[in-house]
Amino acid sequence: PLAPAKGAKGKTPAPAPPKSPQPPAVPPKGPAGALKLMLMVFNGHPFKDHWAFWFPIAKDPDVGVAIHAVGDVRNGFTFEVKRSLNLKLTSNRPSKLIPLQWVDGKFLNEAKMFNNGTYKLDNTPVCMFEASTYKAKPPTKTLNAVDDVVDFLSFFFFLFLS
């Protein structure tokens, strides 16, 4: 076998970073009754980006349904749906909208999903697609609070030092 190529000072060069996945090719027009599913990406700097599913309404791509998990690592996350969200009226706009695919209308209920055009925060699925996303439970708390550490230390001292 051949030895790996050496760099300028005799060191093996670092491997190239992996390429980012390319978005799928989604036709601009879908089947009758289908809705376009998109991925909303929010810049989370200095932390990780936040993602959400987005179903825009056909007549205005800035109005739609956002399905995501909200919360933080200290308290945990919960399932949330923003119905008839108008991206033009919110200060928290996504940095990217990536088309993913067309979802057949048999898995959706447009009237309930878009809440008949009225904005609403919700945590109850209203169609089969939302019910399937609801099954993927959001993360629980992953950051221990100071109180958690103090309680553990109290328990430790009680067990081993009494």
Side-chain angles (χ1 to χ4, degrees):
L2 297 173
K6 299 290 181 185
K9 295 191 177 186
K11 296 181 181 177
T12 303
K19 291 183 179 180
S20 296
Q22 295 302 307
V26 179
K29 193 167 186 166
L35 291 178
K36 187 186 286 188
L37 174 64
M38 303 185 83
L39 180 67
M40 300 174 91
V41 181
F42 296 88
N43 185 338
H45 183 77
F47 304 105
K48 293 182 180 183
D49 288 348
H50 179 77
W51 296 356
F53 284 133
W54 176 249
F55 281 107
I57 60 172
K59 63 184 176 191
D60 186 350
D62 285 326
V63 177
V65 176
I67 304 168
H68 65 145
V70 293
D72 57 56
V73 294
R74 180 183 172 137
N75 300 301
F77 295 83
T78 58
F79 175 83
E80 181 181 83
V81 181
K82 294 179 179 181
R83 304 195 184 285
S84 290
L85 173 66
N86 187 333
L87 296 178
K88 292 183 230 166
L89 301 178
T90 181
S91 60
N92 190 16
R93 296 191 58 136
S95 53
K96 292 181 197 170
L97 282 170
I98 302 169
L100 296 176
Q101 71 177 52
W102 289 94
V103 177
D104 192 308
K106 70 182 179 185
F107 301 109
L108 309 168
N109 181 329
E110 286 188 62
K112 288 183 178 180
M113 288 175 68
F114 295 109
N115 196 40
N116 297 308
T118 304
Y119 176 76
K120 177 183 179 184
L121 280 177
D122 201 357
N123 60 5
T124 303
V126 298
C127 65
M128 287 194 294
F129 181 87
E130 289 182 8
S132 69
T133 62
Y134 185 76
K135 289 178 185 176
K137 295 300 177 197
T140 58
K141 80 176 196 171
T142 56
L143 180 67
N144 291 329
V146 172
D147 293 343
D148 296 340
V149 174
V150 171
D151 289 345
F152 171 76
L153 290 175
S154 300
F155 179 69
F156 175 81
F157 287 123
F158 173 76
L159 283 178
F160 296 104
L161 300 177
S162 31

